[in-house]
Amino acid sequence: MTYIRPNFRHPEKDRNKLGYSIRNYEGALSTLCAGCGHDSISAAIIQSCFDLNLEPHKIAKISGIGCSSKTPTYFLGKAHGFNSVHGRMPSVTTGANMANKDLLYLGVSGDGDTASIGMGQFAHVIRRNLNMVYIVMNNGCYGLTKGQDSATADKGSVSKKGVPSLFDSIDLCQMALQLGAGLVARSFSGDKKQLTPLIKAAIQHRGFAFIDVISPCVTFNNTPQSTKGYEWVREHMEATGTIDFIPDRSEITLDYPAGSSRKVTLHDGSELHLQKNGTDYDLSSRKAAMNQIETVKEQQKILTGLIYHNETKLDTHGKINTVETPLNALTQDELCPGSTVLSELNAKLR
Amino acid sequence: MNAMSEINKISATNDFVIRFANVNGSGSASANNLFSQAVFRLGVPVSSKNIFPSNIQGLPTWFEVRINEQGYLGRRGGYDFVVADNGQTMAKDYQELLPGGYFFYDSSKRLPHTFNREDIVELGVPLTEIVNTHYTDPRHRQIFKNIIYVGALAYLLDMDFSVFEESINTLFAKKPKLIEPNIKALKLGFDYAEQNHTDVCQLNIHRRDLNGDQILMEGNAAAGLGAVFAGATVAGWYPITPSTSVVEAFEKYCKAYRVDQDTGQNKFAILQAEDELAAIGMVIGASWNGARAFTATSGPGVSLMSEFLGLAYFAEIPVMLMDIQRTGPSTGMPTRTQQSDLISAAYASHGDTKNVLLFPSNPKECFDMTVIGFDLAERLQTPVILMSDLDLGMNVHQCDPIEWDDSHVYDRGKVLNEQQLTDLSERWGRYLDVDSDGIPYRTIPGTHPEKGAFFTRGSSHDEYAAYTEDGEVYARGMQRLLVKWDTSKTLVPAAEVSSEGADIGVIYFGTSAYSSQEALDQLRSTQAMDAMRIQAFPFGPEVADFIHQHQILFLIEQNRDAQMKTLLVNELAIDPNKIISVLNIDGMPITAEFLVTEIQNHLNDLLSHGRENQQSTGGVA
Ligand SMILES: Cc1ncc(C[n+]2csc(CCOP(=O)(O)OP(=O)(O)O)c2C)c(N)n1
Ligand code: SF4
Ligand SMILES: [Mg+2]
């Protein structure tokens, strides 16, 4: 075990609009293995929150159990965090979100945490369209229990144990699409340039935003024959397009060759600019997105980037029609009917 | 034909049991409720038990109504009158009727020749014929057949008919079209019985004024209402009999009292979860985030929630859980009652854990203890479990009216607000025992930009919530939780003790209270006995005192393994031999008759042993 700080260090003078330096978004020292993909994802989360000028204490970080689920300790030290139980991050996040709709809910999970023990909760938090960011740090194995294959390990993929995985893998992006997620993306911990704008987009998205981040486990699943290893992923990534995140009202200085880019506008007015890579499909069509994942898979490649975006659905609070005030801020006076209603109520029961 | 003159008919006023045998899903429930409500409105104490199958339609159900002007509301056992409305169980209903009892049946079809008891009174009313003559719509025929037998009962039991008319008028105040046909059905039954069974029945329900301002309510409705009054805003739940109606009631009362008048928006969030794990996870997330949240379940759900309960215990997050117990283990008898989750709730989850339990005995206490439970959960930052049961939750019980003290301020416990955090001079520690009561101070996410953020975890942590594998630090935290446990003993409702210095003490809790009190009244005529009703776990000092003050103790429970005894022995280090368990496990509410017999037998045994001992001692001397 080595104690490594995420490897970006900005000078103190670099402050965002809140006057915070990037340090204000960091957390405790990581205790993950040196080179673990998860640390790079933490770094991208830190960068995204800094760039978006988010107040750290208005973020709630919630995770399950696993190396991946430990990471919330390593970013956003000023935010409350909750390392819950294995596979149950979605329900804890759901409850937290019901209590206070005004925080940003950043859910972090692993492929074991999500695709096996937590599959049920993963599915249901999506169907309810909970307003949250759900990041899976996907290494195709159970890092914390020493490298057993997970349900996202591709059939034939070989981990350090040397035995090819026997079973078909679960594609979490396809599941998320099928279950109705409004934003679905896949990225790679080794591609910060792609990952950071995706995290920003997910944060700005209203409703359920899912990012499956392939994040190699250097200790147990980084062999040349592992489809979740650095080497394989670098060679087989097929991006839907390069991405730039343009916050609301910022001056757009990017210049794209005509016809090669497209814009995705998020509900707060911020925009994602996509530089298309050859293939083109309608990002707001679930069917097209599903098709694209399959097409790329047939070519033995991994589709990354923004895969699907559609922000038209109500989130959970919208569906169940809760008041604007966060429920945890309602006072006793607003909640308790008081003795006056009881004479009528008791009378009805006689 | 009965030879009526030879039958020794049961004769009673305001003291008998009537059983309705129906087919599940036939709409009989409302007719039966109409009947028991009428008894209540006549000022006579009444209790009813729904004995229903785990099935939606077609299987037998029974509805047992005890009418008792002494006010005994427990199940009596045996029945003096049966309304046999179910062909499937008719033979059994016939056989089990008490000698001298009354067998009421639909005489549109003749009774089989095997129905040949000579010690009971048969009361035939051609329900099908009457209903077919007067109603054409098949749905009406089904519904009004039930109402017709209620009308017949009104005559046979000499009940004041106007009570039924009033009930129908209020019941259908919003659907006045239904009033007339209902009254007509009642009259059809009444008239037939009057003409054909004139003065045959010697069971009477006569008007009294014994019910004061009491109400009729199901425990689950009261618990759901309690959650509204207690300010719960988040409920995550998964359907399971017999707990479902708690959340249904919560929703109903929220819709009545918690919808913003101007916007039509809800001041509550109810989510039907994917399973019990998610239900409790939602509660924990919401409580962690500063809302009052709860879930309701039964034994199988408690099993599934265990891991999360351990997290809430160890990470110190308030949880309000209502366990409406049913007969276990496993799926057990899902529609029968029991008190068999005590141990799984008290020590839910792996590792050293202890949870606060509350034991309500009637609907009013379901309400009160729900309110107390939310306060305790937040004060103690720990799970609190309301241990109700199917009998209490799903049956209508007569109890004192619901009351609310407007001066009561919710106890939100030790939560630091933004100002308090700003003003803090020392370093704040989430798990620091500043007040020496074992209860640390917590903070809610989003409160303060710089202070009070911490990492909640189920892994071992130090006083500042940092991860630790230092055994000493871990042990210190675990010991501190015991200090908190001791504090909780001073906050939970104390046991109710009635002590007059007798040698014998009887202990009971929850729904056994009804029959225990009745049994005690009988037993005390020959033998002095003190009594204690336990209302909470952990036990306050009064519980240990009571046990130490008595030579012989009986402990009444509705489970096989004497789970409350296990808790007492475990927590209070008492001699297990001191407590004699009186256990009922057939899934039916315990009866006074059973208790009297059991306790009497034990006492006789002790007495004879005592004599033997004396003799043998004498011999040696
Ligand atoms: C109920 C339960 N079962 C098993 C475990 C053991 N366990 C801890 S982490 C883990 C797998 C984690 O895998 P993943 O979510 O992929 O995280 P990673 O370590 O790979 O980042 C397991 C099985 C547990 N903590 N709880
Ligand atoms: S075991 Fe694997 S997943 Fe866990 S910290 Fe090490 S490299 Fe990362
Ligand atoms: Mg993993």
Side-chain angles (χ1 to χ4, degrees), chain A residues 30-39 66-68 70 139 141-147 215-221:
Chain A
S30 170
T31 60
L32 301 182
C33 309
C36 175
H38 300 351
D39 277 330
C67 295
S68 37
K70 284 183 176 191
N139 53 16
C141 72
Y142 291 5
L144 195 59
T145 51
K146 296 191 182 263
S215 175
C217 169
V218 290
T219 306
F220 298 112
N221 196 14

Side-chain angles (χ1 to χ4, degrees), chain B residues 66-82:
Chain B
R66 179 178 188 188
I67 296 118
N68 183 277
E69 74 178 11
Q70 286 169 282
Y72 293 130
L73 300 175
R75 196 170 78 91
R76 190 199 71 182
Y79 47 96
D80 310 289
F81 192 112
V82 61

